[in-house]
Amino acid sequence: MQGIETNAELFWNLGTAPLVERAVRRGEGRLAKDGPLVVATGKHTGRSAQDKFIVRDAETDASVWWGKTNKAMDPAHFAALKADFLAELAERETLFVQDLFGGSQPEHRVNVRVINEFAWHSLFIRTMLVRPTADELAGFVPEYTIIDLPSFRADPARHGTRSETVIAVNYSEKLILIGGTAYAGEMKKSVFGLLNYLLPVDGIMPMHCSANIGPNGDTAVFFGLSGTGKTTLSADASRTLIGDDEHGWSDTAVFNFEGGCYAKMIRLSEEAEPEIYATTRRFGTVLENVVMDAETRELDLDDNSLAENSRGAYPIDFIPNASAENMGPVPRNVVMLTADAFGVLPPIAKLTPEQAMYHFLSGYTARVAGTEIGVTEPEATFSTCFGAPFMPRHPSIYGNLLKERIAKGGVDCWLVNTGWAGGKATDPGIKRMPIKLTRALLNAALDGSLNQAEFRTDPNFGFRVPVSVPGVDPSLLDPREQWANKAQYDATAARLVDLFNENFAQFAEHVDEEVRQAAPRTPLPA
């Protein structure tokens, strides 16, 4: 359907073992001591956000939120790019093809055909997307096609690209072209972007979140940017995992877009994250840029010499308590995770629907600005909808969908800070929130007991913060009390309030007055 002609030997829908065999035989990766396939992605160890384009045509001109995130490609440039991709395919000796679903709920999924030059990329995407049954494969007709050629080199003059790397999305032709990067995550995020474009038309809320189900059938979703704890906190032995990264919220369910998990591996702790750690000792796991001893094949998860963003891809059923259906009931709780390096936000706060929409559109987290000498300030990061790079439509569309679904379902919304307390992350001796504290507060929120607590109103952000929680030191619940210098806390909080307001100015005209009133404010002097 895409005009593909090739004399290559085609390997269709191979399973895990034959793909691992071919990857090792072809020199694409090596097996670690306990069975996972270890690969290196070269210079691209993360997404190439500046090299992603959407073709601007009659289909997308008015429907895509054009700007810094969604950059346009001219149809003529895409035509040249497609022609060169097809020419490359024609010359290949071997290609790997997978027919897969994006989305676990049958009514809201898309059929995706993925064509790869690498066996390990074929294994990766087979692991990450939803695998059809044999009966479903027999009648499979692709709706969208991804062609992934890491060895392809784009020509900026001919293809309208920024560099030799390209991720080009054409919604009209239902084709995605990925070249010049071996980072496999580009494929999975391309499918995420595709669903984020398609599903809102049908009133389905696409979400960059993890999700799990409690013993009483209560679903919780966890929004958060990379490094905030989305994967870690959803992998809870007491709850059933729906998925760790991408979901849809329909009228009847929260459903995983994927059939696998893609977790950060750097400095993974067996004690704190036993379920994820165990996947590093399983055949079928793909480990990207994880350092391994050449002789003993022992892994060193603490070594970041290949990448800080080392990753592991594994089937979701490698997590012992994963949902067999990749679905759960509509949520009872929505959790927004942030790693606040300013040390201002409380470890947990309850949000109104309007505050939830405000913080969802803000998509705040913060990180230490760098490791170079002289860096003294954290760096605020705002990624709207907790996933701006993957949201083709205007953020207000996703924000309004969330607000409507929260109001309709009477959902409890929480802001959870997994960052630093007692000072800024760059201050001497300041440590990150203990994961045990975060889990204790989350458990109280998810089992409903936290709703019975006494709350105070935060003077800067206006949300409600519990005053006491059983088993938790009350002083830990008030970030200001954690700072030795209260005046410094007040000044830092005022700075963070300003950053929120400066960022939200771009959305103010697209939301109602109640949401605008949910903005933080620096309290007046007493």
Side-chain angles (χ1 to χ4, degrees), residues 430-441:
I430 300 303
K431 296 182 179 180
R432 198 158 176 181
M433 298 275 185
I435 194 167
K436 288 183 179 179
L437 169 65
T438 302
R439 285 202 184 278
L441 294 173

Side-chain angles (χ1 to χ4, degrees), residues 44 60 96 104 107 112 142 160 174 184 186 206 233 287 298 313 319 332 365 420 433 443 472 479 501 507 523 526:
H44 293 283
T60 59
F96 301 88
S104 297
E107 309 95 293
V112 182
K174 300 185 176 182
E186 297 287 10
L233 293 171
L287 296 176
E298 293 274 2
I319 300 297
R332 243 181 241 176
T365 193
W420 288 259
M433 298 275 185
N443 289 341
V472 175
N501 287 317
F507 307 123

Side-chain angles (χ1 to χ4, degrees), residues 324-497:
E325 297 81 22
N326 279 1
M327 291 195 291
V330 295
R332 243 181 241 176
N333 288 279
V334 166
V335 179
M336 298 183 188
L337 301 169
T338 181
D340 177 27
F342 288 88
V344 166
L345 296 180
I348 195 165
K350 189 167 187 182
L351 307 176
T352 65
E354 292 75 24
Q355 288 170 338
M357 183 174 176
Y358 181 92
H359 285 275
F360 178 70
L361 289 176
S362 297
Y364 166 72
T365 193
R367 55 177 178 262
V368 179
T371 57
E372 63 270 21
I373 296 172
V375 172
T376 58
E377 288 298 317
E379 182 180 280
T381 299
F382 293 95
S383 184
T384 186
C385 308
F386 293 97
F390 324 117
M391 303 295 173
R393 298 184 184 273
H394 193 278
S396 62
I397 291 175
Y398 307 105
N400 281 314
L401 274 171
L402 180 68
K403 184 184 172 189
E404 290 164 10
R405 290 199 170 275
I406 287 172
K408 183 178 179 181
V411 179
D412 285 330
C413 299
W414 309 91
L415 183 71
V416 171
N417 175 21
T418 61
W420 288 259
K424 292 177 286 190
T426 46
D427 293 342
I430 300 303
K431 296 182 179 180
R432 198 158 176 181
M433 298 275 185
I435 194 167
K436 288 183 179 179
L437 169 65
T438 302
R439 285 202 184 278
L441 294 173
L442 262 180
N443 289 341
L446 300 185
D447 68 19
S449 62
L450 193 55
N451 284 321
Q452 311 308 315
E454 177 187 353
F455 287 84
R456 65 178 178 84
T457 299
D458 185 272
N460 294 289
F461 285 84
F463 42 50
R464 298 169 65 215
V465 180
V467 173
S468 64
V469 176
V472 175
D473 180 350
S475 69
L476 298 177
L477 299 172
D478 186 344
R480 191 173 187 269
E481 288 303 308
Q482 293 291 296
W483 283 58
N485 188 322
K486 304 299 189 284
Q488 282 188 3
Y489 171 86
D490 293 339
T492 305
R495 175 60 182 145
L496 186 57
V497 166

Side-chain angles (χ1 to χ4, degrees), residues 33-62:
K33 175 186 172 185
D34 296 306
L37 179 67
V38 180
V39 298
T41 63
K43 69 176 183 178
H44 293 283
T45 60
R47 290 182 303 101
S48 300
Q50 298 305 311
D51 295 303
K52 179 187 170 187
F53 302 88
I54 298 174
V55 176
R56 189 165 192 165
D57 56 17
E59 160 70 27
T60 59
D61 185 52

